[in-house]
Amino acid sequence: MIIRLLIMGLFFGFSSYSYTQQISYFEGSVIDSITLKPISGVTILGKNVYAVTNDSGYFKIKKSRLSSEVEVSHLGYLPVKFTIDEQQNGLLQIKLKTASTALDEVSVHSKSAKRVAKETATISVSVDEEYLHANRENSLMQTLRKIPGVSTMTIGSGQSKPTIRGLGFNRVSVVQNGIKHEAQQWGNDHGLEIDQYGIEEIRIIKGPASLMYGSDAIAGVVDIQPAKTPAINSFNGEVNILGETNNDLFAVSVGTQGRKQRWFYRARLTYRDYADFKVPTERISYENYIFELNNNNLRNTAGQEANGSFSIGYVGDSFKSETFISNVNAKNGFFANAHGLEVRTSSIDYDKSNRDIDLPFHKVNHIKIVNNSSLDLDTHKLYFDIGYQNNQREEHSEPVPHGFMPKPPNSRERVFTKNTYSLNVKDIFKPNAAHTLSAGLNTEYQNNNIGGWGFLIPAYDRFTAGIFLFDHYEVNDNLHLQGGVRYDAGTLKTNSYYDWYRSPRDNNDGTTSNVFLQRAENRDLDFNSFSGSVGISYINKNTTYKLNIGKSFRMPLAHELASDGVNYHMYRYERGNLDLDPESSYQLDAEVLVESGLFNLSVSPFVNFFDNYIYLNPTSDYVETLQVYEYTQSKVFRTGGELSLGYNFTRAFNVNASAEYVYSRQTSGPKEGFTIPFSPPLIGTLTTNYRFGNFGYLNDLNLTFDMRFAAAQNEIVPPEEITAGYSVFNLSLRSKLDLFYTENSALLRIKLNNIFNSEYYDHTSFYRLIDVPEAGRNLSVSLTLPF
């Protein structure tokens, strides 16, 4: 008997309840019958019985209140009824089957938190795993670009960075597992070091989100949610295989996860190898030179990527913790003709092979260690996020002399070594039934060192800290008010830097001296600011109304303050400004969301004002024949929004249309009257989907045809050039395959992008600046094999 008591005590996590209280509960978990992943928010309902599953799909019911029959139900799944004997012990695992009704690829809110999201005043979009599977492209942000208001700054075939409503770089925070991703994302040609495989859900916030996420979230957030906890006594995994024709890509990703009772783990390995990608043109023009392309290959854009991740976690009655360790390693070539004009005299045979990676290229290795823990104390729920990131980036180019710089001894032009330490603490508590308060602290320390023979930004140390208080007030079931305040403070310390070679400089007495020029100095800069927001959400039957106004801020970054060197990727000289003030943004967001059985409609306008927007402005000065671009500030007015409409003509056929537009105007500064750089044009999409049903081994066969239209972008800021409008058409087919006669179906996806091999230019693309069109026709085939 004593042994039995000890075993039961271990099984229930040494609960503080007595033994007689422990056996008075019945426990179970609910999982998806196909994916075997836990389902949160499931309702268990019977006579005098009510329970809802948590994030792990777990529920607990008092046996004394248990009726003979209980129904388990959840939106999108077929309900299940079961009967349990009062004397039954052990854990019950309930599998729910997906309902036959069509699931939206992108819903304005995730299903498990749909009501909660409606009650939130911020404008957000939740992207589920089905959308990620159906729309997977070469990079995570290219996968998300069909979402209204979200676009990408593409850098070749394997890299891109997010843009929300025309703002990108460090104005958009990318958060993964609660920690802000920190690398060298300030650079035009620096992508995100994130493996897009294994991601289950992403929440995108459109508009200022500094209140909860801190500086750098001034334009929005791409929040990659932690994966759901595996079900009890489960083991499963998947193999993803992808091949593409445009750049001869081959990719494979293998992931697995398992759980016993309290402990669980996850692991994933990903490998990608791709050749130069093809563009629908035979020549490009850059700096008045014509470069011929061999077989339409954009030479030296091949790359390789190898990623690995592992996590281990523990789930208790009131405590949950998971530690993630990941490593992303990539080597990518830069389009040779984009890296200055020296390639004209280079001895490198760039057309020898479309798979080799010649100079110039970059190598990046990103290590991330994160722990997410939560503690449930009844009225209080505490969250702790601790993170460490190491980003090692090397940019290599052909060593040739420039100006007074002699020929460098090696190809390591620039080296960045960045260490980031993060800590987030949040307490969510309910002082009464109407109020839900959130209070928290965000801190981050960055140490960034530099190396190589080419200088652009100095080494620096950066520390930021912010505290916030947020209140969600439920006036009644359908009317919700929100508001919060935040205070941030930060310091930036730049280190001095001198050239490794001498340059001649004229003295006041008419003589000339050869000196090591100073590019950066030791400076300590302090910044601080208050921010906040207030909002309202009102739900009237099938219509939701939202209104939110907020003020956000962003600290200037090291490159904006202290850069002083040649950026050969842009063939210009960039100079920072130590007198820059933090950016402040004021924004009004609104949304009207209508949902019914046949159609859904979403209208999301916004009005935005920057009182000191930071951008890189061309000047009339030249250094070593290169035009000087200097960081400056101006007042900027912006407005625009998104419109989405979906209609289900039948249970099998539906059409979705969307449009997005941003208007920007500088109201002060040297470019007064112009827009801001990389402003997207009017963009529209039309997507039709037909669900054919089952054909032999093909189950749930779907055919999707989508069209993307962009108007000409005539609103530019010099030296930008007008970008013509375009239309591009894509086709995709996806189906489940019953290959192994098991509950888990394989997923087959066949996509044909840019069907007509159209030559077009995306105004937000990095390569658009050097007259390189977007990628040509591409056929991709991917297969997901679960086990």
Side-chain angles (χ1 to χ4, degrees):
M1 184 64 179
I2 295 175
I3 295 175
R4 183 184 177 189
L5 287 174
L6 289 173
I7 294 174
M8 293 295 291
L10 289 170
F11 184 79
F12 289 106
F14 297 104
S15 171
S16 60
Y17 296 115
S18 68
Y19 171 66
T20 57
Q21 286 175 315
Q22 289 182 28
I23 63 173
S24 66
Y25 285 94
F26 174 78
E27 294 179 298
S29 63
V30 183
I31 64 174
D32 187 292
S33 64
I34 297 177
T35 66
L36 300 182
K37 293 181 179 180
I39 310 172
S40 63
V42 177
T43 301
I44 297 94
L45 186 63
K47 186 178 180 181
N48 298 323
V49 172
Y50 176 76
V52 178
T53 58
N54 63 12
D55 290 342
S56 303
Y58 169 83
F59 67 90
K60 181 163 63 174
I61 302 173
K62 283 186 177 181
K63 286 186 176 180
S64 60
R65 302 178 62 186
L66 188 64
S67 62
S68 58
E69 187 175 72
V70 176
E71 181 176 90
V72 181
S73 61
H74 189 59
L75 183 65
Y77 291 88
L78 296 174
V80 171
K81 293 183 179 180
F82 65 94
T83 303
I84 301 178
D85 187 282
E86 284 281 338
Q87 302 303 316
Q88 183 172 354
N89 293 317
L91 292 167
L92 177 68
Q93 190 175 78
I94 303 168
K95 297 180 180 180
L96 295 186
K97 294 183 178 180
T98 304
S100 59
T101 55
L103 297 175
D104 293 335
E105 288 182 346
V106 180
S107 58
V108 175
H109 310 289
S110 61
K111 296 178 179 65
S112 63
K114 190 172 185 179
R115 177 71 185 191
V116 175
K118 283 185 176 182
E119 296 170 355
T120 303
T122 53
I123 312 303
S124 65
V125 176
S126 286
V127 182
D128 60 22
E129 193 172 15
E130 184 178 355
Y131 170 90
L132 296 172
H133 277 302
N135 296 276
R136 182 165 289 142
E137 299 287 350
N138 271 316
S139 67
L140 175 61
M141 290 315 305
Q142 288 172 335
T143 299
L144 300 176
R145 67 178 302 179
K146 287 174 63 176
I147 299 170
V150 179
S151 56
T152 64
M153 179 174 289
T154 54
I155 311 138
S157 61
Q159 303 177 77
S160 62
K161 59 181 60 187
T163 302
I164 297 179
R165 290 173 167 173
L167 299 177
F169 296 96
N170 286 76
R171 295 183 180 90
V172 174
S173 280
V174 178
V175 177
Q176 186 177 29
N177 297 326
I179 294 295
K180 184 172 65 174
H181 182 77
E182 281 292 350
Q184 303 291 340
Q185 61 264 43
W186 55 269
N188 291 331
D189 49 355
H190 304 171
L192 293 176
E193 301 86 359
I194 293 178
D195 186 353
Q196 65 171 321
Y197 290 96
I199 297 174
E200 296 180 2
E201 183 180 357
I202 300 175
R203 184 187 180 209
I204 298 174
I205 300 176
K206 295 186 288 187
S210 294
L211 178 63
M212 302 296 287
Y213 293 89
S215 181
D216 295 356
I218 196 169
V221 177
V222 178
D223 192 351
I224 303 171
Q225 301 290 309
K228 293 180 180 178
T229 306
I232 295 174
N233 295 322
S234 66
F235 170 80
N236 57 79
E238 65 178 20
V239 178
N240 296 278
I241 303 172
L242 171 65
E244 296 188 349
T245 60
N246 181 278
N247 59 349
D248 299 331
L249 175 140
F250 172 76
V252 60
S253 182
V254 181
T256 184
Q257 63 178 11
R259 176 179 173 183
K260 290 297 185 180
Q261 297 293 323
R262 301 295 188 183
W263 292 93
F264 64 93
Y265 72 91
R266 280 186 266 260
R268 179 168 292 274
L269 292 173
T270 299
Y271 178 75
R272 289 159 39 91
D273 189 292
Y274 53 90
D276 300 340
F277 74 95
K278 297 180 176 63
V279 292
T281 186
E282 296 178 350
R283 62 185 58 86
I284 64 168
S285 174
Y286 176 50
E287 292 288 326
N288 297 317
Y289 289 90
I290 303 297
F291 296 97
E292 301 290 337
L293 301 182
N294 181 39
N295 295 324
N296 301 103
N297 288 319
L298 201 64
R299 58 176 64 97
N300 205 46
T301 55
Q304 297 173 342
E305 184 177 325
N307 310 321
S309 64
F310 178 79
S311 74
I312 187 168
Y314 174 84
V315 180
D317 292 334
S318 59
F319 176 73
K320 177 182 177 182
S321 181
E322 185 171 9
T323 300
F324 306 84
I325 303 174
S326 65
N327 189 84
V328 173
N329 183 279
K331 180 180 180 181
N332 309 89
F334 290 125
F335 171 45
N337 300 116
H339 202 274
L341 299 177
E342 287 82 4
V343 70
R344 293 173 300 155
T345 59
S346 174
S347 60
I348 297 175
D349 184 1
Y350 287 103
D351 298 322
K352 175 180 59 177
S353 169
N354 67 340
R355 299 203 79 89
D356 59 358
I357 304 173
D358 294 311
L359 296 169
F361 66 83
H362 78 153
K363 296 191 299 184
V364 61
N365 191 84
H366 192 91
I367 298 173
K368 186 181 295 185
I369 304 174
V370 174
N371 175 266
N372 302 139
S373 298
S374 62
L375 180 62
D376 195 342
L377 302 176
D378 294 331
T379 58
H380 289 260
K381 191 163 187 179
L382 303 177
Y383 295 87
F384 304 90
D385 301 320
I386 304 173
Y388 166 74
Q389 299 173 73
N390 173 269
N391 184 269
Q392 180 72 29
R393 178 182 177 86
E394 295 185 7
E395 298 180 5
H396 292 249
S397 64
E398 198 166 0
V400 294
H402 291 280
F404 299 108
M405 181 183 72
K407 182 179 179 179
N410 53 52
S411 65
R412 298 171 80 237
E413 179 185 358
R414 286 197 285 258
V415 178
F416 303 101
T417 303
K418 184 176 183 179
N419 294 290
T420 303
Y421 306 84
S422 306
L423 171 64
N424 301 324
V425 179
K426 183 168 64 174
D427 179 15
I428 298 179
F429 59 99
K430 291 182 68 67
N432 53 52
H435 290 271
T436 301
L437 296 175
S438 301
L441 166 71
N442 308 114
T443 62
E444 183 181 86
Y445 170 71
Q446 299 176 17
N447 170 255
N448 195 59
N449 293 307
I450 63 171
W453 46 261
F455 175 81
L456 185 58
I457 68 170
Y460 67 86
D461 293 276
R462 183 177 189 253
F463 176 77
T464 59
I467 55 174
F468 65 87
L469 178 65
F470 185 79
D471 183 23
H472 183 117
Y473 174 47
E474 182 177 333
V475 180
N476 55 52
D477 288 343
N478 296 320
L479 181 61
H480 297 257
L481 304 177
Q482 296 178 354
V485 293
R486 179 185 179 97
Y487 176 75
D488 284 274
T491 63
L492 180 70
K493 179 181 179 181
T494 62
N495 297 334
S496 63
Y497 179 88
Y498 291 84
D499 283 343
W500 58 275
Y501 57 91
R502 295 180 183 271
S503 299
R505 281 297 178 263
D506 295 332
N507 300 320
N508 293 330
D509 59 2
T511 60
T512 300
S513 300
N514 291 317
V515 298
F516 297 101
L517 291 182
Q518 184 174 6
R519 302 284 187 179
E521 57 183 280
N522 292 320
R523 289 290 296 269
D524 291 306
L525 302 169
D526 298 318
F527 304 95
N528 62 85
S529 178
F530 281 97
S531 56
S533 69
V534 292
I536 182 172
S537 173
Y538 176 64
I539 304 170
N540 182 18
K541 297 181 180 178
N542 64 341
T543 305
T544 303
Y545 305 90
K546 293 185 178 184
L547 186 68
N548 191 75
I549 185 170
K551 186 244 181 187
S552 295
F553 103 108
R554 182 181 72 87
M555 282 179 52
L557 301 178
H559 72 287
E560 296 167 328
L561 293 163
S563 60
D564 189 17
V566 178
N567 187 343
Y568 292 106
H569 305 294
M570 302 297 296
Y571 207 61
R572 66 192 183 196
Y573 196 99
E574 297 180 4
R575 182 174 291 157
N577 184 350
L578 289 169
D579 296 324
L580 294 176
D581 295 319
E583 283 185 341
S584 295
S585 171
Y586 304 85
Q587 184 155 321
L588 175 69
D589 284 282
E591 182 179 61
V592 178
L593 173 65
V594 182
E595 296 176 306
S596 71
L598 292 178
F599 77 96
N600 58 78
L601 171 69
S602 174
V603 182
S604 306
F606 74 91
V607 177
N608 173 226
F609 176 73
F610 280 88
D611 61 5
N612 41 21
Y613 182 85
I614 300 173
Y615 69 100
L616 197 58
N617 180 57
T619 70
S620 58
D621 296 333
Y622 282 80
V623 173
E624 300 173 6
T625 73
L626 296 176
Q627 187 176 10
V628 175
Y629 283 64
E630 188 171 57
Y631 283 97
T632 188
Q633 292 183 292
S634 66
K635 299 181 185 297
V636 173
F637 173 80
R638 303 170 65 251
T639 187
E642 301 83 43
L643 171 67
S644 300
L645 174 64
Y647 192 83
N648 299 315
F649 288 92
T650 67
R651 292 173 64 90
F653 179 63
N654 63 77
V655 176
N656 291 274
S658 67
E660 56 187 274
Y661 177 69
V662 176
Y663 170 87
S664 303
R665 188 68 67 208
Q666 296 187 49
T667 60
S668 69
K671 291 296 189 297
E672 183 177 358
F674 288 97
T675 185
I676 59 177
F678 291 103
S679 291
L682 172 66
I683 295 175
T685 61
L686 179 65
T687 303
T688 62
N689 182 79
Y690 189 82
R691 188 181 296 257
F692 288 94
N694 300 336
F695 290 90
Y697 288 98
L698 301 177
N699 294 332
D700 196 19
L701 180 65
N702 284 263
L703 181 66
T704 302
F705 178 73
D706 70 76
M707 300 168 280
R708 182 179 178 89
F709 307 93
Q713 181 53 288
N714 299 312
E715 293 289 330
I716 61 172
V717 54
E720 281 187 332
E721 296 182 358
I722 291 174
T723 302
Y726 66 85
S727 59
V728 63
F729 303 87
N730 309 305
L731 185 68
S732 67
L733 180 147
R734 63 187 186 279
S735 175
K736 297 176 182 177
L737 299 177
D738 290 334
L739 298 178
F740 309 109
Y741 302 99
T742 65
E743 289 182 324
N744 300 327
S745 298
L747 300 177
L748 172 68
R749 296 171 297 277
I750 301 174
K751 297 181 66 177
L752 183 61
N753 287 346
N754 196 358
I755 296 174
F756 303 110
N757 201 35
S758 302
E759 181 181 352
Y760 69 99
Y761 298 82
D762 188 338
H763 194 74
T764 62
S765 171
F766 167 71
Y767 278 156
R768 182 262 307 174
L769 299 174
I770 53 175
D771 199 36
V772 175
E774 296 299 299
R777 183 186 297 113
N778 181 44
L779 175 65
S780 66
V781 179
S782 62
L783 186 65
T784 299
L785 301 170
F787 59 85

